PDB file of all heavy atoms in Angstrom:
ATOM      1  N   VAL A 177     107.629 283.928  50.388  1.00  0.00           N
ATOM      2  CA  VAL A 177     108.825 284.487  51.012  1.00  0.00           C
ATOM      3  C   VAL A 177     108.484 285.333  52.230  1.00  0.00           C
ATOM      4  O   VAL A 177     109.113 285.208  53.287  1.00  0.00           O
ATOM      5  CB  VAL A 177     109.618 285.332  49.986  1.00  0.00           C
ATOM      6  CG1 VAL A 177     110.797 286.040  50.663  1.00  0.00           C
ATOM      7  CG2 VAL A 177     110.107 284.466  48.841  1.00  0.00           C
ATOM      8  N   TYR A 178     107.456 286.189  52.101  1.00  0.00           N
ATOM      9  CA  TYR A 178     107.189 287.203  53.121  1.00  0.00           C
ATOM     10  C   TYR A 178     106.077 286.864  54.102  1.00  0.00           C
ATOM     11  O   TYR A 178     105.859 287.607  55.063  1.00  0.00           O
ATOM     12  CB  TYR A 178     106.837 288.531  52.452  1.00  0.00           C
ATOM     13  CG  TYR A 178     107.940 289.121  51.617  1.00  0.00           C
ATOM     14  CD1 TYR A 178     107.752 289.405  50.264  1.00  0.00           C
ATOM     15  CD2 TYR A 178     109.177 289.426  52.178  1.00  0.00           C
ATOM     16  CE1 TYR A 178     108.753 289.964  49.500  1.00  0.00           C
ATOM     17  CE2 TYR A 178     110.188 289.975  51.418  1.00  0.00           C
ATOM     18  CZ  TYR A 178     109.971 290.252  50.076  1.00  0.00           C
ATOM     19  OH  TYR A 178     110.969 290.807  49.326  1.00  0.00           O
ATOM     20  N   SER A 179     105.340 285.798  53.902  1.00  0.00           N
ATOM     21  CA  SER A 179     104.225 285.492  54.797  1.00  0.00           C
ATOM     22  C   SER A 179     104.694 285.377  56.250  1.00  0.00           C
ATOM     23  O   SER A 179     105.742 284.795  56.533  1.00  0.00           O
ATOM     24  CB  SER A 179     103.551 284.183  54.375  1.00  0.00           C
ATOM     25  OG  SER A 179     102.551 283.807  55.301  1.00  0.00           O
ATOM     26  N   SER A 180     103.907 285.944  57.157  1.00  0.00           N
ATOM     27  CA  SER A 180     104.278 285.892  58.577  1.00  0.00           C
ATOM     28  C   SER A 180     104.101 284.493  59.166  1.00  0.00           C
ATOM     29  O   SER A 180     104.719 284.159  60.180  1.00  0.00           O
ATOM     30  CB  SER A 180     103.422 286.885  59.374  1.00  0.00           C
ATOM     31  OG  SER A 180     102.033 286.574  59.237  1.00  0.00           O
ATOM     32  N   ASP A 181     103.281 283.657  58.528  1.00  0.00           N
ATOM     33  CA  ASP A 181     103.004 282.319  59.060  1.00  0.00           C
ATOM     34  C   ASP A 181     103.941 281.250  58.479  1.00  0.00           C
ATOM     35  O   ASP A 181     104.485 280.433  59.219  1.00  0.00           O
ATOM     36  CB  ASP A 181     101.552 281.925  58.779  1.00  0.00           C
ATOM     37  CG  ASP A 181     100.571 282.875  59.460  1.00  0.00           C
ATOM     38  OD1 ASP A 181     100.875 283.318  60.585  1.00  0.00           O
ATOM     39  OD2 ASP A 181      99.510 283.152  58.869  1.00  0.00           O
ATOM     40  N   TYR A 182     104.087 281.258  57.164  1.00  0.00           N
ATOM     41  CA  TYR A 182     104.876 280.197  56.521  1.00  0.00           C
ATOM     42  C   TYR A 182     105.966 280.745  55.602  1.00  0.00           C
ATOM     43  O   TYR A 182     106.531 280.008  54.803  1.00  0.00           O
ATOM     44  CB  TYR A 182     103.944 279.275  55.717  1.00  0.00           C
ATOM     45  CG  TYR A 182     103.059 280.020  54.736  1.00  0.00           C
ATOM     46  CD1 TYR A 182     103.520 280.380  53.465  1.00  0.00           C
ATOM     47  CD2 TYR A 182     101.757 280.363  55.079  1.00  0.00           C
ATOM     48  CE1 TYR A 182     102.711 281.052  52.579  1.00  0.00           C
ATOM     49  CE2 TYR A 182     100.934 281.036  54.196  1.00  0.00           C
ATOM     50  CZ  TYR A 182     101.410 281.382  52.942  1.00  0.00           C
ATOM     51  OH  TYR A 182     100.597 282.063  52.068  1.00  0.00           O
ATOM     52  N   GLY A 183     106.258 282.020  55.719  1.00  0.00           N
ATOM     53  CA  GLY A 183     107.238 282.640  54.831  1.00  0.00           C
ATOM     54  C   GLY A 183     108.663 282.194  55.110  1.00  0.00           C
ATOM     55  O   GLY A 183     109.054 281.957  56.253  1.00  0.00           O
ATOM     56  N   LEU A 185     111.398 283.985  54.708  1.00  0.00           N
ATOM     57  CA  LEU A 185     112.212 285.023  55.342  1.00  0.00           C
ATOM     58  C   LEU A 185     112.131 284.951  56.861  1.00  0.00           C
ATOM     59  O   LEU A 185     113.162 284.972  57.559  1.00  0.00           O
ATOM     60  CB  LEU A 185     111.758 286.402  54.852  1.00  0.00           C
ATOM     61  CG  LEU A 185     112.556 287.600  55.371  1.00  0.00           C
ATOM     62  CD1 LEU A 185     114.026 287.463  54.998  1.00  0.00           C
ATOM     63  CD2 LEU A 185     111.998 288.904  54.806  1.00  0.00           C
ATOM     64  N   ASN A 186     110.934 284.853  57.412  1.00  0.00           N
ATOM     65  CA  ASN A 186     110.794 284.764  58.866  1.00  0.00           C
ATOM     66  C   ASN A 186     111.352 283.453  59.408  1.00  0.00           C
ATOM     67  O   ASN A 186     111.914 283.406  60.503  1.00  0.00           O
ATOM     68  CB  ASN A 186     109.326 284.899  59.268  1.00  0.00           C
ATOM     69  CG  ASN A 186     108.859 286.347  59.286  1.00  0.00           C
ATOM     70  OD1 ASN A 186     109.661 287.256  59.089  1.00  0.00           O
ATOM     71  ND2 ASN A 186     107.580 286.566  59.500  1.00  0.00           N
ATOM     72  N   ALA A 187     111.188 282.376  58.626  1.00  0.00           N
ATOM     73  CA  ALA A 187     111.682 281.074  59.075  1.00  0.00           C
ATOM     74  C   ALA A 187     113.205 281.056  59.162  1.00  0.00           C
ATOM     75  O   ALA A 187     113.780 280.460  60.093  1.00  0.00           O
ATOM     76  CB  ALA A 187     111.193 279.978  58.137  1.00  0.00           C
ATOM     77  N   THR A 189     115.291 283.869  59.351  1.00  0.00           N
ATOM     78  CA  THR A 189     115.846 284.900  60.227  1.00  0.00           C
ATOM     79  C   THR A 189     115.343 284.806  61.661  1.00  0.00           C
ATOM     80  O   THR A 189     115.925 285.416  62.564  1.00  0.00           O
ATOM     81  CB  THR A 189     115.504 286.297  59.688  1.00  0.00           C
ATOM     82  OG1 THR A 189     114.076 286.454  59.640  1.00  0.00           O
ATOM     83  CG2 THR A 189     116.079 286.486  58.287  1.00  0.00           C
ATOM     84  N   GLY A 190     114.237 284.058  61.875  1.00  0.00           N
ATOM     85  CA  GLY A 190     113.679 283.973  63.216  1.00  0.00           C
ATOM     86  C   GLY A 190     112.818 285.158  63.593  1.00  0.00           C
ATOM     87  O   GLY A 190     112.394 285.283  64.746  1.00  0.00           O
ATOM     88  N   LEU A 191     112.537 286.037  62.639  1.00  0.00           N
ATOM     89  CA  LEU A 191     111.697 287.205  62.891  1.00  0.00           C
ATOM     90  C   LEU A 191     110.222 286.807  62.912  1.00  0.00           C
ATOM     91  O   LEU A 191     109.849 285.726  62.452  1.00  0.00           O
ATOM     92  CB  LEU A 191     111.935 288.271  61.812  1.00  0.00           C
ATOM     93  CG  LEU A 191     113.351 288.851  61.723  1.00  0.00           C
ATOM     94  CD1 LEU A 191     113.471 289.763  60.506  1.00  0.00           C
ATOM     95  CD2 LEU A 191     113.703 289.618  62.993  1.00  0.00           C
ATOM     96  N   THR A 192     109.396 287.706  63.417  1.00  0.00           N
ATOM     97  CA  THR A 192     107.943 287.485  63.417  1.00  0.00           C
ATOM     98  C   THR A 192     107.227 288.660  62.733  1.00  0.00           C
ATOM     99  O   THR A 192     106.062 288.928  63.008  1.00  0.00           O
ATOM    100  CB  THR A 192     107.416 287.341  64.859  1.00  0.00           C
ATOM    101  OG1 THR A 192     107.771 288.514  65.604  1.00  0.00           O
ATOM    102  CG2 THR A 192     107.999 286.105  65.522  1.00  0.00           C
ATOM    103  N   THR A 193     107.941 289.340  61.870  1.00  0.00           N
ATOM    104  CA  THR A 193     107.401 290.528  61.196  1.00  0.00           C
ATOM    105  C   THR A 193     106.299 290.151  60.216  1.00  0.00           C
ATOM    106  O   THR A 193     106.423 289.174  59.464  1.00  0.00           O
ATOM    107  CB  THR A 193     108.524 291.274  60.438  1.00  0.00           C
ATOM    108  OG1 THR A 193     109.595 291.558  61.338  1.00  0.00           O
ATOM    109  CG2 THR A 193     108.000 292.564  59.832  1.00  0.00           C
ATOM    110  N   ASP A 194     105.223 290.919  60.224  1.00  0.00           N
ATOM    111  CA  ASP A 194     104.134 290.713  59.264  1.00  0.00           C
ATOM    112  C   ASP A 194     104.425 291.578  58.037  1.00  0.00           C
ATOM    113  O   ASP A 194     103.891 292.677  57.877  1.00  0.00           O
ATOM    114  CB  ASP A 194     102.795 291.108  59.895  1.00  0.00           C
ATOM    115  CG  ASP A 194     101.604 290.695  59.028  1.00  0.00           C
ATOM    116  OD1 ASP A 194     101.832 290.103  57.962  1.00  0.00           O
ATOM    117  OD2 ASP A 194     100.456 290.979  59.419  1.00  0.00           O
ATOM    118  N   TRP A 195     105.277 291.074  57.150  1.00  0.00           N
ATOM    119  CA  TRP A 195     105.760 291.856  56.010  1.00  0.00           C
ATOM    120  C   TRP A 195     104.629 292.296  55.084  1.00  0.00           C
ATOM    121  O   TRP A 195     104.681 293.388  54.524  1.00  0.00           O
ATOM    122  CB  TRP A 195     106.775 291.032  55.215  1.00  0.00           C
ATOM    123  CG  TRP A 195     107.967 290.600  55.993  1.00  0.00           C
ATOM    124  CD1 TRP A 195     108.186 289.378  56.553  1.00  0.00           C
ATOM    125  CD2 TRP A 195     109.113 291.400  56.320  1.00  0.00           C
ATOM    126  NE1 TRP A 195     109.397 289.353  57.210  1.00  0.00           N
ATOM    127  CE2 TRP A 195     109.983 290.572  57.078  1.00  0.00           C
ATOM    128  CE3 TRP A 195     109.484 292.720  56.040  1.00  0.00           C
ATOM    129  CZ2 TRP A 195     111.213 291.039  57.553  1.00  0.00           C
ATOM    130  CZ3 TRP A 195     110.701 293.181  56.513  1.00  0.00           C
ATOM    131  CH2 TRP A 195     111.552 292.347  57.270  1.00  0.00           C
ATOM    132  N   LEU A 196     103.637 291.456  54.889  1.00  0.00           N
ATOM    133  CA  LEU A 196     102.557 291.765  53.949  1.00  0.00           C
ATOM    134  C   LEU A 196     101.353 292.414  54.619  1.00  0.00           C
ATOM    135  O   LEU A 196     100.551 293.071  53.950  1.00  0.00           O
ATOM    136  CB  LEU A 196     102.115 290.480  53.232  1.00  0.00           C
ATOM    137  CG  LEU A 196     103.200 289.768  52.422  1.00  0.00           C
ATOM    138  CD1 LEU A 196     102.645 288.495  51.801  1.00  0.00           C
ATOM    139  CD2 LEU A 196     103.766 290.684  51.344  1.00  0.00           C
ATOM    140  N   GLY A 197     101.210 292.247  55.921  1.00  0.00           N
ATOM    141  CA  GLY A 197     100.060 292.803  56.620  1.00  0.00           C
ATOM    142  C   GLY A 197     100.294 294.184  57.197  1.00  0.00           C
ATOM    143  O   GLY A 197      99.346 294.930  57.445  1.00  0.00           O
ATOM    144  N   ASP A 198     101.546 294.538  57.404  1.00  0.00           N
ATOM    145  CA  ASP A 198     101.880 295.848  57.958  1.00  0.00           C
ATOM    146  C   ASP A 198     101.877 296.875  56.833  1.00  0.00           C
ATOM    147  O   ASP A 198     102.723 296.843  55.940  1.00  0.00           O
ATOM    148  CB  ASP A 198     103.255 295.789  58.625  1.00  0.00           C
ATOM    149  CG  ASP A 198     103.584 297.058  59.401  1.00  0.00           C
ATOM    150  OD1 ASP A 198     102.937 298.095  59.146  1.00  0.00           O
ATOM    151  OD2 ASP A 198     104.496 297.024  60.247  1.00  0.00           O
ATOM    152  N   SER A 200     102.808 299.810  56.659  1.00  0.00           N
ATOM    153  CA  SER A 200     103.945 300.728  56.589  1.00  0.00           C
ATOM    154  C   SER A 200     105.141 300.136  55.855  1.00  0.00           C
ATOM    155  O   SER A 200     106.050 300.865  55.458  1.00  0.00           O
ATOM    156  CB  SER A 200     104.375 301.147  58.002  1.00  0.00           C
ATOM    157  OG  SER A 200     104.854 300.026  58.734  1.00  0.00           O
ATOM    158  N   ILE A 201     105.144 298.815  55.681  1.00  0.00           N
ATOM    159  CA  ILE A 201     106.303 298.188  55.020  1.00  0.00           C
ATOM    160  C   ILE A 201     105.923 297.310  53.837  1.00  0.00           C
ATOM    161  O   ILE A 201     106.794 296.971  53.028  1.00  0.00           O
ATOM    162  CB  ILE A 201     107.123 297.354  56.023  1.00  0.00           C
ATOM    163  CG1 ILE A 201     106.250 296.242  56.635  1.00  0.00           C
ATOM    164  CG2 ILE A 201     107.725 298.219  57.106  1.00  0.00           C
ATOM    165  CD1 ILE A 201     107.016 295.298  57.535  1.00  0.00           C
ATOM    166  N   ASN A 202     104.657 296.918  53.707  1.00  0.00           N
ATOM    167  CA  ASN A 202     104.327 295.943  52.654  1.00  0.00           C
ATOM    168  C   ASN A 202     104.564 296.487  51.251  1.00  0.00           C
ATOM    169  O   ASN A 202     104.928 295.729  50.340  1.00  0.00           O
ATOM    170  CB  ASN A 202     102.887 295.428  52.802  1.00  0.00           C
ATOM    171  CG  ASN A 202     101.853 296.529  52.818  1.00  0.00           C
ATOM    172  OD1 ASN A 202     102.133 297.698  52.561  1.00  0.00           O
ATOM    173  ND2 ASN A 202     100.620 296.156  53.140  1.00  0.00           N
ATOM    174  N   VAL A 205     108.328 295.801  50.369  1.00  0.00           N
ATOM    175  CA  VAL A 205     108.720 294.422  50.065  1.00  0.00           C
ATOM    176  C   VAL A 205     108.102 293.959  48.741  1.00  0.00           C
ATOM    177  O   VAL A 205     108.717 293.162  48.011  1.00  0.00           O
ATOM    178  CB  VAL A 205     108.328 293.461  51.213  1.00  0.00           C
ATOM    179  CG1 VAL A 205     109.070 293.830  52.484  1.00  0.00           C
ATOM    180  CG2 VAL A 205     106.828 293.449  51.455  1.00  0.00           C
TER     181      VAL A 205
END
Side-chain angles (χ1 to χ4, degrees):
V177 174
Y178 297 122
S179 175
S180 59
D181 298 323
Y182 53 84
L185 183 58
N186 280 355
T189 61
L191 298 173
T192 57
T193 306
D194 190 1
W195 301 100
L196 300 178
D198 188 341
S200 64
I201 60 175
N202 56 9
V205 297

